[in-house]
Amino acid sequence: MTLRSTLDFLLYDWLDAQSLTVRTRFADHTRETFDAVLDTCERIAREKYAPFNRTVDIEEPHFDGEKVILPQATYEARKAYAESGLLSAAQDYEVGGMQLPYAVEAAANSFFAVASISIGSNLLTSGNANLLMVHGTEAQKQVFALNEFNGRWSGTMCLSEPQAGSSLSDVATRAVPDGDGFEADPLGARYRLTGNKMWISSGDHELTENIVHLVLAKIPGPDGKLVPGTKGISLFIVPKKLVDTEGKLTGVRNDVALAGLNHKLGWRGTTNTLLNFGEGKFPVEGKAGAVGYLVGQPGKGLHCMFHMMNEARIGIGMAATMLGLAGYYASLDYAKNRPQGRPVQGPKDGAAAVVKDAAQPQVRIIEHADVKRMLLAQKSYGEGALALNLFCAKLVDEQHTGDAATADEARLLLEVLTPIAKSWPSEFCLEANSLAIQIHGGYGYTRDFPVEQYWRDNRLNMIHEGTHGIQAMDLLGRKVLMEGGRGLQLLAGRINATIERAIQVPALAAHANALGKALQDVGAATKAAWATGQPADALANAVPYMQAFGHTVLAWVWLDVALATLARDADLAQPASLGRMGGMRFFFHYELPKIGAWLQVVSTRDATCAAFPEEAF
């Protein structure tokens, strides 16, 4: 099976994406237009991205004292992507968009992720512009968002700081009003920012004529002090180069300076930066301070930024998924062509041990059961995660175009599933990459084969957009409790509906019962975790909870995919159908049983970790 055939099945046979064309917003589309987008993106990824994945890994960005230097292939790939129109694919026709369903856009972007994850900064640019279309003023939309959508400019998100990391409460970047009449600037209330931002992807480059930074900063109170906590955080547009109200460059460089490039384990083709705002290296109107324009209301910056953060979390989940699948495809090809070892035979001549006949020719390693185990694990992780991410993408479409009840249900389901969609692929598709290296044997950790790079690239995704632990606390500490647990109840309803359908199918009945038991156990563990009402008791084992919750969700997805497989090919006459059913069986037999150990520590509120004294380490 190819990625394209897998996407076609999931989009059309499982998610019925073509049914979205009955919605007014998508009425101009058909399956043919969806396929045309997929064809174009598949071609660009094959021609402009895949051949240069190793190039951008080896030729890392470097600073020559004036500008960041990147390989020529990165410029050409970025140009081709921008010209495809995918940056604005989901936007209105009036602003140059295609009004494409997000589910189709996500599927189209998967080609680029599997070809070379670290070329370009398209995820952040689209997310930056999408945020401004929701929270920005009309001028901010016209000047900043539309120039990101058309490819002239790119965008970043500037959250973390060297001293704060993921703790946004400790953000120390300051924003002060820029003189008299600061509120009257046509691009938004004008402030001067000073501070440092760390780990900023695509924070400096020459790929586009301008970079639009979205920066979290605090406006000091009347006493000149910063408000503690996240409630004092505001959001600002800080362009690298200042522009006028028509979006034209004024020729003035904003006071944003590259302080250094971070050299990461993976994603080496993307610049990752430490940026200094307002240090005076590029004074504006004769004084230090980066010019920034307020987005939304003062003190509401984190609320605005979550629009981009949640979108980025799903995007990172998709990135992790596609890296896992890239490793799977590479190791599958290797296993089909690498001869090594011989078949196991029964004992002979009274020998007690299993023997192999050295006189027989070697077999390809895919014929060994343990190699098949590792391939099936990769397949079940990668294809299951892809299905989950596309399901979440379709929920976005439901939220934006469904009736009131449908939209609200989609919103709540997304709230519960987003931590899973981000973190589950980041953990288990990384494990898939590890298995891909294992299948290659000693060759796997050499640079002669691509699987070591896929592992390095994917290792970053467990930290990108919130660590595994942060997502787990969000899930158990907030998402399953919000609105009286209604989101969790909605998800349970969806899972039970699949169980009810599957239990009527003899080939799936046992799996349906196993999923029902898992769902019941997760529900009981959720109540047990919060039995004392103390967050410290419940959240001490948030990560095991999320692993069990995620495995249950993935088992549901696989069972639902199996139903769609049998509906299309009841006799399993197609190899692809056999493959999907095998991936489903592997997940239920080898993976779902693991949740018992995870839920045990959750249900008992095990304090082994939380109570362990520091001096005992």
Side-chain angles (χ1 to χ4, degrees):
M1 284 185 292
T2 63
L3 172 59
R4 180 56 184 272
S5 64
T6 301
L7 287 172
D8 284 346
F9 176 85
L10 293 175
L11 274 178
Y12 301 127
D13 293 282
W14 182 51
L15 290 176
D16 191 23
Q18 61 269 38
S19 68
L20 289 170
T21 59
V22 304
R23 307 275 173 89
T24 301
R25 180 169 183 79
F26 309 128
D28 291 339
H29 288 290
T30 62
R31 173 163 178 174
E32 286 69 32
T33 64
F34 294 164
D35 283 344
V37 171
L38 296 177
D39 290 342
T40 298
C41 293
E42 186 176 17
R43 176 184 56 79
I44 295 172
R46 182 177 61 249
E47 295 175 356
K48 299 294 186 181
Y49 282 68
F52 307 104
N53 189 46
R54 177 63 79 185
T55 301
V56 300
D57 185 64
I58 296 171
E59 299 178 23
E60 293 186 68
H62 65 277
F63 183 55
D64 69 357
E66 293 184 5
K67 58 186 178 182
V68 174
I69 307 299
L70 293 165
Q72 183 60 34
T74 303
Y75 290 83
E76 294 176 0
R78 210 278 173 181
K79 181 174 183 289
Y81 186 92
E83 290 177 349
S84 75
L86 209 60
L87 284 165
S88 59
Q91 295 300 312
D92 295 345
Y93 294 135
E94 289 76 13
V95 298
M98 304 182 200
Q99 294 187 189
L100 195 70
Y102 183 57
V104 178
E105 180 186 359
N109 272 315
S110 71
F111 292 113
F112 301 102
V114 80
S116 182
I117 194 64
S118 67
I119 291 181
S121 55
N122 306 311
L123 167 67
L124 292 176
T125 297
S126 295
N128 180 307
N130 288 338
L131 180 153
L132 293 176
M133 293 301 290
V134 174
H135 298 288
T137 65
E138 286 304 312
Q140 290 170 347
K141 295 175 188 177
Q142 291 294 322
V143 172
F144 297 106
L146 296 194
N147 278 310
E148 292 182 86
F149 284 138
N150 66 27
R152 283 182 62 203
W153 302 347
S154 58
T156 73
M157 56 189 298
C158 299
L159 287 72
S160 297
E161 297 179 4
Q163 83 292 340
S166 299
S167 179
L168 297 181
S169 297
D170 298 312
V171 162
T173 299
R174 301 169 67 93
V176 298
D178 189 21
D180 295 336
F182 76 97
E183 293 176 314
D185 194 295
L187 293 179
R190 179 171 159 142
Y191 286 75
R192 292 288 186 130
L193 278 70
T194 55
N196 316 102
K197 293 292 181 178
M198 186 59 150
W199 312 118
I200 309 307
S201 295
S202 301
D204 201 11
H205 53 73
E206 302 297 319
L207 293 170
T208 54
E209 68 177 42
N210 205 0
I211 302 174
V212 180
H213 301 294
L214 283 179
V215 184
L216 292 181
K218 291 183 177 181
I219 302 170
D223 59 358
K225 297 180 179 179
L226 300 182
V227 178
T230 59
K231 293 183 178 179
I233 295 175
S234 300
L235 181 63
F236 300 88
I237 298 168
V238 183
K240 177 180 177 179
K241 301 173 183 178
L242 296 180
V243 301
D244 63 19
T245 55
E246 301 298 318
K248 297 176 182 177
L249 301 183
T250 64
V252 177
R253 172 72 184 266
N254 204 355
D255 197 9
V256 182
L258 176 66
L261 293 173
N262 300 308
H263 299 286
K264 290 188 172 184
L265 176 78
W267 287 57
R268 291 178 174 176
T270 300
T271 57
N272 190 273
T273 62
L274 169 61
L275 299 178
N276 291 344
F277 292 84
E279 67 175 358
K281 185 172 183 178
F282 303 103
V284 178
E285 297 176 355
K287 60 180 180 179
V291 172
Y293 306 100
L294 181 68
V295 178
Q297 298 299 313
K300 301 294 184 181
L302 203 56
H303 168 74
C304 297
M305 186 58 91
F306 264 114
H307 184 99
M308 186 176 183
M309 290 166 66
N310 285 331
E311 187 172 322
R313 285 170 177 170
I314 294 175
I316 289 299
M318 182 65 89
T321 297
M322 301 321 298
L323 283 165
L325 283 172
Y328 167 59
Y329 297 143
S331 61
L332 176 61
D333 180 70
Y334 185 85
K336 287 180 176 180
N337 291 285
R338 167 69 171 176
Q340 185 174 320
R342 291 162 179 83
V344 172
Q345 298 175 342
K348 290 184 177 180
D349 302 324
V354 171
V355 297
K356 297 182 181 180
D357 186 352
Q360 294 297 315
Q362 290 184 320
V363 298
R364 296 167 303 134
I365 63 173
I366 197 171
E367 297 181 46
H368 299 308
D370 194 54
V371 173
K372 290 182 179 180
R373 175 190 64 82
M374 291 186 282
L375 288 169
L376 271 168
Q378 292 179 70
K379 181 181 179 69
S380 72
Y381 297 156
E383 292 184 9
L386 178 59
L388 172 62
N389 277 280
L390 291 176
F391 175 77
C392 288
K394 192 182 180 191
L395 285 178
V396 173
D397 292 320
E398 297 286 358
Q399 184 179 359
H400 291 160
T401 64
D403 58 43
T406 299
D408 189 56
E409 183 172 316
R411 173 190 64 83
L412 263 177
L413 284 170
L414 274 170
E415 289 280 8
V416 174
L417 288 174
T418 294
I420 300 298
K422 186 274 172 188
S423 267
W424 196 94
S426 298
E427 172 143 326
F428 291 97
C429 289
L430 178 68
E431 173 61 18
N433 290 127
S434 181
L435 292 170
I437 292 174
Q438 190 73 13
I439 286 173
H440 280 73
Y443 290 110
Y445 45 74
T446 69
R447 294 196 178 186
D448 299 314
F449 291 85
V451 288
E452 62 86 26
Q453 182 184 343
Y454 295 143
W455 186 93
R456 286 189 289 105
D457 284 341
N458 217 353
R459 185 59 185 82
L460 277 62
N461 289 320
M462 291 180 72
I463 296 175
H464 278 157
E465 304 308 325
T467 65
H468 208 51
I470 288 172
Q471 302 297 334
M473 288 191 288
D474 182 45
L475 176 67
L476 181 56
R478 194 166 73 90
K479 296 299 178 63
V480 299
L481 303 177
M482 65 187 301
E483 299 185 26
R486 192 162 70 91
L488 185 58
Q489 293 166 8
L490 283 172
L491 179 60
R494 293 285 185 106
I495 295 173
N496 279 319
T498 297
I499 291 171
E500 289 174 6
R501 291 168 55 215
I503 209 164
Q504 306 300 319
V505 180
L508 300 178
H511 304 310
N513 284 323
L515 178 57
K517 175 66 165 55
L519 180 62
Q520 185 178 36
D521 290 347
V522 168
T526 306
K527 293 179 181 178
W530 285 103
T532 67
Q534 298 299 315
D537 292 344
L539 299 183
N541 294 294
V543 166
Y545 176 83
M546 184 167 71
Q547 289 170 315
F549 194 110
H551 263 50
T552 302
V553 168
L554 264 292
W556 162 56
V557 167
W558 266 117
L559 190 62
D560 211 62
V561 166
L563 283 165
T565 299
L566 293 175
R568 174 180 174 178
D569 184 11
D571 297 327
L572 300 180
Q574 299 298 318
S577 301
L578 284 171
R580 278 188 286 273
M581 296 301 289
M584 181 274 300
R585 284 195 299 273
F586 178 90
F587 199 87
F588 272 86
H589 293 170
Y590 287 76
E591 293 294 327
L592 189 60
K594 295 177 181 178
I595 74 170
W598 291 324
L599 292 178
Q600 174 66 21
V601 295
V602 174
S603 297
T604 60
R605 299 179 299 282
D606 190 290
T608 298
C609 298
F612 196 77
E614 179 181 338
E615 61 273 15
F617 280 103

